[in-house]
Amino acid sequence: MRTVLITGGTGSLGSATVRRLARRHPGWHAVVTGRDLARTTERARTLAAELNAPVTPLKLDLESLDAVRDFAQQWPTRDLPPLHALVCNAGTQVVTGLRHTVDGYEVTFAVNHLAHFLLTNLLLPHLSAPARIVFVSSDTHDPARPTGLPDPHYTSGRELARPADTGDHPMTEGRRRYTTSKLCNVLTAYELDRMLGPERRTSVNAFDPGLMPGTGMARDYNPLFRFAWRYVMPVVTVLPRNFHTTCTSGSALAHLVADEALDGVSGTYFQGRRPRRSSAESYDRDKAAELWRSSAELVGMPALAEAR
């Protein structure tokens, strides 16, 4: 038995991934996290009963770096099978104005990038080889792909953590912060892959699940858009573009976690099951190195930047 840790694991994509793992790749013990332990526990129990497979709920508030540190510190005390996979899946998109976490960092950047950056680094010593790390990104990070969202604007990790008010419409700025955070996911995956090297036997990849109407990603939008996202837009998943049901994307993510055909595949961007090129900017090693250094400083552990 092997453990896979999936942040946000009881959300739409997380639950679909747990289902696919249990049905097609038996032998995995899923650990799912959420900031509301009661709700996470209820959903985990439902999944476990449905699948007749182990699903453990744990509380993790990604808006607090101290909560991430406490979670990682307690990990060795958990009575769980060896950790072989980490899926950085939880995400948010704030479009109603500039919000900050308890640490003073912009929420979308902090949750989608910083918290997962810290969690991954703190759990690396507990990963048992061969291991896999997957950062859930989005094709919205790539200006060459028509997604309807603003192009990402990467400046530096420090500026993204404490952005200035540009005066632009809150929705425009919020969606740009989201696409930029998804670029950060890809930059981080590539930089960590370079740092670990093949001798570590830990693969690190980025994953685009596609647009999945009906999920909770639109929770910060206005009521009309939320209604359309939940009840109208799921119809477009039948179109031959990068729209998918959570079942399809969950299957692809489970494939990245567990399929033996991907042994040794690392430093790759996957759109669903297909490896493909990410944005031109995502291959900028100087930006990746700057993001790594500044992120390490922002989470209060500058030694991480030179640790490997």
Side-chain angles (χ1 to χ4, degrees), residues 150-161:
D151 294 347
H153 180 59
Y154 186 87
T155 50
S156 71
R158 296 176 191 84
E159 290 184 38
L160 294 176

Side-chain angles (χ1 to χ4, degrees), residues 195-210:
M195 287 183 165
L196 293 178
E199 66 278 358
R200 181 63 186 261
R201 296 178 66 212
T202 298
S203 65
V204 188
N205 294 303
F207 171 69
D208 166 32

Side-chain angles (χ1 to χ4, degrees), residues 60-111:
L60 177 57
D61 182 359
L62 294 170
E63 289 194 23
S64 167
L65 295 177
D66 277 344
V68 175
R69 295 184 188 99
D70 290 344
F71 180 92
Q73 186 175 24
Q74 294 173 24
W75 185 264
T77 69
R78 310 284 186 188
D79 185 19
L80 294 165
L83 179 64
H84 279 272
L86 169 61
V87 179
C88 298
N89 165 64
T92 192
Q93 183 180 174
V94 178
V95 298
T96 53
L98 193 59
R99 283 182 47 216
H100 296 84
T101 66
V102 294
D103 302 289
Y105 302 141
E106 192 279 316
V107 169
T108 300
F109 177 75
V111 170

Side-chain angles (χ1 to χ4, degrees), residues 165-183:
D165 187 350
T166 64
D168 288 343
H169 192 282
M171 180 170 288
T172 300
E173 275 304 290
R175 296 195 299 170
R176 180 174 287 113
R177 286 192 287 267
Y178 174 78
T179 62
T180 305
S181 74
K182 297 289 100 178
L183 171 62

